[in-house]
Amino acid sequence: MARPTDTRARILAVARELFAERGAQQTSLRDIAGRLGISKPALYYHFDSREALLASIVEPLLADMDAFMATREGHARPDPRVLLSDYFDLLHRNRDLITMLVRDLATLGLLDLATRMIAWRHRLITLLLGPSPALPAQVRAVVAIGGMSDCTVEFPDVPMEKIKPIAV
């Protein structure tokens, strides 16, 4: 008999795969249970809703971003290239999840991720430019940060070692 953690991990893996293929809104818990060959009640034992399952899938990205910010805020302003290089690495580590979210934008609203992502962007801009940057600098930072994120999604078949120096 499989341990609950094994079943939970399998559910997360299959849900992530189906969400990436079809989108979270178009994937039911029945679809996930069917792919796993388990009953829907067995799935409910681990996750009481699609939203709870989705939140568990997204949690590593949220934790990674929160840790990234926490380790850099409250210190001297970092070198912008180092900060952007580290940020690119964070995006690359989470690119499959970011791709899934970009392909199904309703998920951002479902989990209120858009608000968190905008807050992260503002915090990152503050780290890059200080607390009161001029508008032109803010615009350039938004373009740079958004462009870096897009690069991790847009070029899945190109080794990131080739993309990163250009993006940073």
Side-chain angles (χ1 to χ4, degrees):
M1 185 167 152
R3 295 185 318 250
T5 55
D6 293 340
T7 302
R8 181 179 170 84
R10 286 180 46 232
I11 291 168
L12 287 168
V14 167
R16 190 174 177 150
E17 180 181 299
L18 286 172
F19 290 162
E21 285 174 17
R22 303 179 188 172
Q25 301 302 310
Q26 290 71 40
T27 304
S28 69
L29 292 180
R30 183 181 317 273
D31 295 332
I32 296 165
R35 171 88 51 104
L36 284 162
I38 64 174
S39 68
K40 198 170 165 186
L43 193 143
Y44 274 115
Y45 175 78
H46 297 278
F47 298 98
D48 63 1
S49 67
R50 180 180 54 204
E51 290 75 20
L53 179 54
L54 191 54
S56 291
I57 290 170
V58 173
E59 182 53 39
L61 170 62
L62 304 180
D64 204 4
M65 187 59 107
D66 286 339
F68 178 88
M69 293 298 181
T71 59
R72 287 158 179 83
E73 291 175 326
H75 301 286
R77 205 159 97 203
D79 175 89
R81 285 198 176 278
V82 172
L83 179 64
L84 291 175
S85 178
D86 292 347
Y87 182 66
F88 187 91
D89 292 342
L90 178 147
L91 295 170
H92 183 257
R93 274 193 309 275
N94 293 284
R95 84 170 171 220
D96 291 341
L97 186 53
I98 292 168
T99 301
M100 181 186 85
L101 293 171
V102 168
R103 287 188 180 150
D104 189 3
L105 293 175
T107 303
L108 295 174
L110 185 69
L111 298 175
D112 196 32
L113 289 175
T115 302
R116 285 182 82 170
M117 293 173 102
I118 290 168
W120 286 328
R121 184 183 322 172
H122 287 252
R123 291 167 67 190
L124 187 57
I125 289 170
T126 300
L127 284 171
L128 278 170
L129 304 174
S132 301
L135 180 61
Q138 289 179 55
V139 171
R140 285 191 297 274
V142 167
V143 170
I145 292 166
M148 287 177 60
S149 179
D150 289 351
C151 284
T152 62
V153 171
E154 192 67 31
F155 304 103
D157 298 328
V158 178
M160 283 299 122
E161 299 77 36
K162 289 185 177 183
I163 300 294
K164 181 179 175 178
I166 300 165
V168 172

